[in-house]
Amino acid sequence: MKNYVIGLDYGTDSVRAILIDTENGQELASNVCHYKRWKNKEYCDASINQFRQHPLDHIEGLEATIKYVVENSNVDPSLIRSICIDTTGSSPVPVTEDGTPLALTKGFENNPNAMMVLWKDHTSINEANEINELAANWGGVNFTKYVGGIYSSEWFWAKILHIAKQDEAVKNAAYTWMEHCDLMTYLLIDNKDLKSFKRSRCAAGHKAMWHEDWNGLPSEEFLGKLHPYLAALRGRLYDETYTSDLVAGNLSQEWATRLGLTTSTVIAVGTFDAHSGAVGAKIEEHTLVRVMGTSTCDIIVASEEAIGTKSVRGICGQVDGSVIPGFIGLEAGQSAFGDLLAWYKELLLWPTDHLLATSTLLTDTQKEQLKEEMSDNLIIKLTAEAEKIPLSESVPIALDWINGRRTPDANQEIKSAISNLSLGTKAPHLFKSLVNAICFGSKKIVDRFEEEGVKINSVIGIGGVARKSPYIMQTLANVLNKPIKIAASDQTPALGAAIYAAVAAGIYPNVIEASQKMGSDFDGEYFPQLDKVAAYNKLLLAYDQLSSFADPSLKKLQQEHYV
Ligand SMILES: Nc1ncnc2c1ncn2[C@@H]1O[C@H](COP(=O)(O)OP(=O)(O)O)[C@@H](O)[C@H]1O
Ligand SMILES: O=C(CO)[C@@H](O)[C@@H](O)COP(=O)(O)O
């Protein structure tokens, strides 16, 4: 009998659904929906790093994309066994006692504090500092132990603490909070009991300091020292967490009707995009999967025996079962990867956005066409020119911390810097320096894993930049001095979600077997160019120097580690 599953992947800008044949991972239909309100930059204020998304963007996207793949695949809906949802994270959403996102209730429809706080929102830097300070000094367990020793402003508790302090009305109305992957899963299932709802192990372990060592979330006593709201919230969250090979519930009658499915379809426990992307790319031990898009997420799995009781310093957490049940999933990443290049692109397009509007040389239609053409071609042209600049030629030295540093050693307050500019510095030189910067930031992550005893034999690249930029991938292979394989699928996170769905539906006995059968093939490999590796090593020293200058705390961290 044929079996089909759906993987639903919520990225930063859009959501995509794919309908997959579980026998071989073949994609029978796919559909993408861009978030309407987010596209118009509603509820965001980049000047203070506030990035919020309205739940209606997510619900409309879910309905449109799933309906599309069900209708266009010509598959009998009763053979669609399961759906699994992955999202960005930590992207928490305040909800009412009956599990309704607060922004869907009266009075909160346009309040950004009542919406999803997107992973890259950095409004809670002070609150992350408070958490770190308390964790290190309160005299009890240091709850940051399994999230690399530093709690980030990108994460759950810091974001909630910030909003609780900032918005009394939201604090009073938000009965509980859910990670985005949990909320969308909860929305679809029939069982609406919030207490027994199966929350994601991946989200809880990497972002909310949930760990078996202390029986779940950080203690009420610890949270109470941060804010009484957090202490009260603890009891309205969860004790247990679940891996994504398990069923969260059956599709509710309401959503079965809305999506053209039946209530026999099961919904797997939710997860994060990077972790499901790693499964979609057939992750195995000692393979680092790098999701390279707006940001990077670096995922690796290790057996419990290999990790033992060790806590890996400066990363975004080590969580039992966050990628493959039975293995410890480790996560690191860069807060900006493609985003650094996107920032530069926007900077260079300033005149076209602002001067063209007042010019009388072109018609409005021509202006729009020109703007679009320049926007589409800018990175491609810069890439071609940067590639031609020999490594012997002087280019600026840049840091990749344009949106703070996620790892190693989170510091979201830190800013980027560029040095070594001269009158000879042209736009492609600067572009080359930014590409070097994102690759050096990547090298720091790989080095940290290896220093901490996590062996990396091979690297797999997935995500927009991995697929679109051979220049960046070749630079990265040279900087890391490791070969990098590129997954063929453009949809690895959604494919990974489909793999979890297939296991949850009982079609495969475990994630490893399912990912071998359904996971993406590879369609490219970049090898280090031996004549260039040494030159990049030299540039890396300059990057290190600039890093120490821009972030004096780095030296202190290193000294603390080596005493
Ligand atoms: N040809 C390219 N070279 C380098 N970077 C690119 C290229 N095309 C897109 N990007 C970058 O890729 C990022 C988007 O990556 P993608 O994986 O598609 O999205 P997301 O990370 O939101 O899932 C943007 O930051 C963009 O600047
Ligand atoms: O941080 C995580 C997962 O832990 C990601 O969700 C976050 O970096 C967003 O990833 P994308 O840039 O949307 O691929």
Side-chain angles (χ1 to χ4, degrees):
M1 198 197 335
K2 294 297 273 181
N3 296 298
Y4 303 95
V5 288
I6 292 174
L8 190 69
D9 164 49
Y10 282 94
T12 297
D13 301 326
S14 59
V15 53
R16 60 206 51 72
I18 57 174
L19 194 140
I20 298 286
D21 182 340
T22 59
E23 202 178 322
N24 48 20
Q26 195 196 344
E27 185 183 301
L28 300 183
S30 79
N31 190 242
V32 180
C33 175
H34 286 265
Y35 313 137
K36 211 165 62 193
R37 297 159 192 82
W38 168 254
K39 207 171 171 183
N40 294 332
K41 299 191 165 48
E42 287 178 53
Y43 314 114
C44 297
D45 181 352
S47 68
I48 54 163
N49 284 317
Q50 175 185 300
F51 299 103
R52 309 287 159 85
Q53 289 185 341
H54 200 290
L56 281 178
D57 270 345
H58 305 135
I59 296 171
E60 288 164 7
L62 178 146
E63 188 161 6
T65 54
I66 297 190
K67 260 173 90 167
Y68 180 96
V69 295
V70 172
E71 282 166 13
N72 288 275
S73 59
N74 294 321
V75 158
D76 174 355
S78 69
L79 300 179
I80 300 175
R81 310 287 173 199
S82 175
I83 299 173
C84 179
I85 301 176
D86 72 75
T87 66
T88 68
S90 178
S91 301
V93 193
V95 300
T96 62
E97 197 161 357
D98 67 359
T100 308
L102 205 54
L104 299 187
T105 65
K106 204 161 173 315
F108 293 101
E109 300 92 333
N110 290 308
N111 181 346
N113 293 327
M115 294 174 193
M116 186 190 94
V117 188
L118 188 68
W119 63 275
K120 71 175 188 178
D121 183 294
H122 288 167
T123 48
S124 54
I125 285 179
N126 292 341
E127 288 75 13
N129 289 342
E130 267 180 62
I131 294 172
N132 284 315
E133 187 69 30
L134 183 72
N137 300 310
W138 79 300
V141 176
N142 187 336
F143 293 110
T144 66
K145 180 173 175 190
Y146 296 110
V147 291
I150 305 175
Y151 201 73
S152 162
S153 66
E154 287 186 359
W155 299 345
F156 192 76
W157 294 110
K159 287 176 166 171
I160 298 173
L161 178 56
H162 177 73
I163 287 177
K165 288 201 289 190
Q166 212 193 23
D167 196 322
E168 187 73 13
V170 169
K171 186 195 77 182
N172 292 337
Y175 172 78
T176 188
W177 287 70
M178 294 174 104
E179 274 291 346
H180 190 208
C181 66
D182 286 331
L183 179 68
M184 301 320 292
T185 303
Y186 176 79
L187 178 82
L188 291 187
I189 63 171
D190 51 0
N191 174 11
K192 293 298 181 201
D193 175 31
L194 265 181
K195 196 66 203 163
S196 61
F197 171 65
K198 293 192 178 118
R199 307 259 194 153
S200 162
R201 164 75 56 86
C202 177
H206 284 288
K207 314 293 178 182
M209 297 188 280
W210 183 96
H211 200 278
E212 273 167 353
D213 270 10
W214 41 82
N215 296 319
L217 292 167
S219 66
E220 198 178 316
E221 195 191 347
F222 175 80
L223 294 171
K225 287 183 190 295
L226 292 164
H227 199 292
Y229 176 70
L230 296 192
L233 178 62
R234 189 190 189 281
R236 299 186 227 125
L237 286 166
Y238 49 87
D239 299 317
E240 285 305 318
T241 60
Y242 300 85
T243 50
S244 292
D245 55 334
L246 302 172
V247 172
N250 276 69
L251 189 62
S252 68
Q253 184 58 63
E254 183 203 340
W255 277 99
T257 310
R258 279 171 80 166
L259 300 174
L261 289 168
T262 70
T263 55
S264 60
T265 299
V266 295
I267 315 297
V269 172
T271 190
F272 283 157
D273 49 3
H275 302 70
S276 63
V279 166
K282 297 187 182 148
I283 192 168
E284 51 191 17
E285 253 195 295
H286 310 302
T287 301
L288 178 72
V289 177
R290 309 203 73 220
V291 191
M292 291 177 273
T294 306
S295 59
T296 77
C297 276
D298 294 75
I299 305 288
I300 192 156
V301 291
S303 64
E304 279 181 47
E305 303 79 69
I307 291 284
T309 53
K310 187 173 175 49
S311 48
V312 180
R313 193 171 49 102
I315 62 160
C316 308
Q318 51 197 88
V319 180
D320 188 3
S322 67
V323 184
I324 299 177
F327 287 80
I328 308 291
L330 299 111
E331 179 191 344
Q334 290 164 271
S335 292
F337 194 74
D339 227 9
L340 182 61
L341 311 178
W343 162 80
Y344 187 50
K345 172 177 157 179
E346 210 174 309
L347 194 79
L348 292 186
L349 287 176
W350 192 90
T352 39
D353 286 341
H354 293 86
L355 298 184
L356 207 57
T358 54
S359 165
T360 50
L361 290 174
L362 300 173
T363 65
D364 284 350
T365 316
Q366 284 172 325
K367 284 178 193 172
E368 279 316 306
Q369 284 170 341
L370 181 64
K371 270 166 73 169
E372 207 175 307
E373 188 179 293
M374 290 183 73
S375 173
D376 289 349
N377 292 330
L378 190 60
I379 287 195
I380 297 169
K381 183 72 183 156
L382 284 169
T383 299
E385 293 302 316
E387 217 167 358
K388 285 187 212 154
I389 301 171
L391 274 174
S392 54
E393 197 169 316
S394 168
V395 297
I397 302 298
L399 300 179
D400 51 317
W401 304 335
I402 196 88
N403 192 20
R405 184 180 63 235
R406 187 185 279 175
T407 59
D409 304 319
N411 184 347
Q412 301 299 169
E413 269 173 302
I414 197 73
K415 303 276 186 285
S416 192
I418 302 176
S419 72
N420 211 29
L421 294 161
S422 76
L423 283 176
T425 304
K426 304 268 187 301
H429 291 91
L430 210 42
F431 183 77
K432 194 177 183 83
S433 78
L434 299 180
V435 169
N436 291 347
I438 55 178
C439 295
F440 293 145
S442 309
K443 167 88 169 132
K444 294 285 142 192
I445 292 171
V446 168
D447 285 354
R448 178 57 62 87
F449 274 128
E450 293 187 330
E451 282 159 25
E452 293 284 296
V454 181
K455 208 163 122 205
I456 298 174
N457 291 343
S458 63
V459 179
I460 292 174
I462 64 176
V465 179
R467 298 218 33 84
K468 285 183 221 157
S469 182
Y471 167 57
I472 298 177
M473 289 305 104
Q474 184 58 62
T475 307
L476 188 62
N478 288 340
V479 170
L480 299 183
N481 198 12
K482 289 187 194 296
I484 304 171
K485 276 200 287 188
I486 307 298
S489 170
D490 285 326
Q491 317 272 22
T492 27
L495 185 57
I499 291 169
Y500 285 126
V503 184
I507 296 157
Y508 287 99
N510 59 55
V511 172
I512 295 177
E513 272 186 50
S515 109
Q516 285 309 321
K517 281 271 168 48
M518 295 171 64
S520 172
D521 289 328
F522 302 100
D523 66 354
E525 186 160 11
Y526 296 88
F527 295 94
Q529 297 162 313
L530 296 181
D531 55 323
K532 297 203 169 133
V533 170
Y536 279 111
N537 268 336
K538 235 168 113 185
L539 286 171
L540 180 62
L541 292 177
Y543 171 92
D544 283 341
Q545 264 178 349
L546 186 61
S547 302
S548 309
F549 177 75
D551 182 7
S553 72
L554 270 184
K555 220 178 209 138
K556 196 170 153 265
L557 280 166
Q558 273 154 11
Q559 279 161 358
E560 275 168 9
H561 180 64
Y562 291 110
V563 283

